[in-house]
Amino acid sequence: MIAMDDFRQKVTDAALEELRRQLGDESVSSHGTSVEIDGSFRMVRVIDAIIRAAVNDHAAIVEEVARTLGGKNWEDRTDDAADAISAVRGRILAMLDPLP
């Protein structure tokens, strides 16, 4: 299971990668989950990167969705949960398209 701090860092790293792609390495500095930015950027592209990093099939997320779907028999619903997560992620990203 991914720890909360690791998850936060993964999401932050995804946003940083997109910010650096847009602004260049010299315009973005970070320490942990704290970020300093010099310049303007397209926020929707950063949001896209965050969603791609955050809404995925990490075991903890799949388990939570499976528990919601299956109650006591949640272990039988992990495949359904992973499919639901993928569908939600795909729909959110489709609604953001086309990215500016």
Side-chain angles (χ1 to χ4, degrees):
M1 183 182 315
I2 189 166
M4 186 60 72
D5 287 343
D6 293 340
F7 183 74
R8 286 184 185 122
Q9 191 62 54
K10 178 179 179 172
V11 171
T12 300
D13 290 346
L16 284 170
E17 183 179 331
E18 177 57 30
L19 287 167
R20 287 184 174 126
R21 189 190 68 68
Q22 289 186 44
L23 301 171
D25 288 337
E26 65 284 348
S27 296
V28 180
S29 61
S30 67
H31 181 70
T33 58
S34 179
V35 179
E36 247 181 73
I37 301 168
D38 181 25
S40 64
F41 56 91
R42 295 176 186 257
M43 190 63 187
V44 74
R45 289 188 176 272
V46 176
I47 292 167
D48 178 80
I50 290 169
I51 290 168
R52 288 180 186 282
V55 182
N56 57 40
D57 58 359
H58 287 301
I61 295 172
V62 170
E63 181 178 332
E64 188 63 32
V65 173
R67 285 179 184 276
T68 300
L69 293 173
K72 292 179 182 178
N73 300 321
W74 69 270
E75 291 173 334
D76 296 335
R77 301 300 300 270
T78 56
D79 288 343
D80 294 335
D83 290 345
I85 292 164
S86 293
V88 168
R89 178 181 186 229
R91 185 65 189 131
I92 291 169
L93 293 174
M95 289 175 5
L96 290 174
D97 261 350
L99 291 176

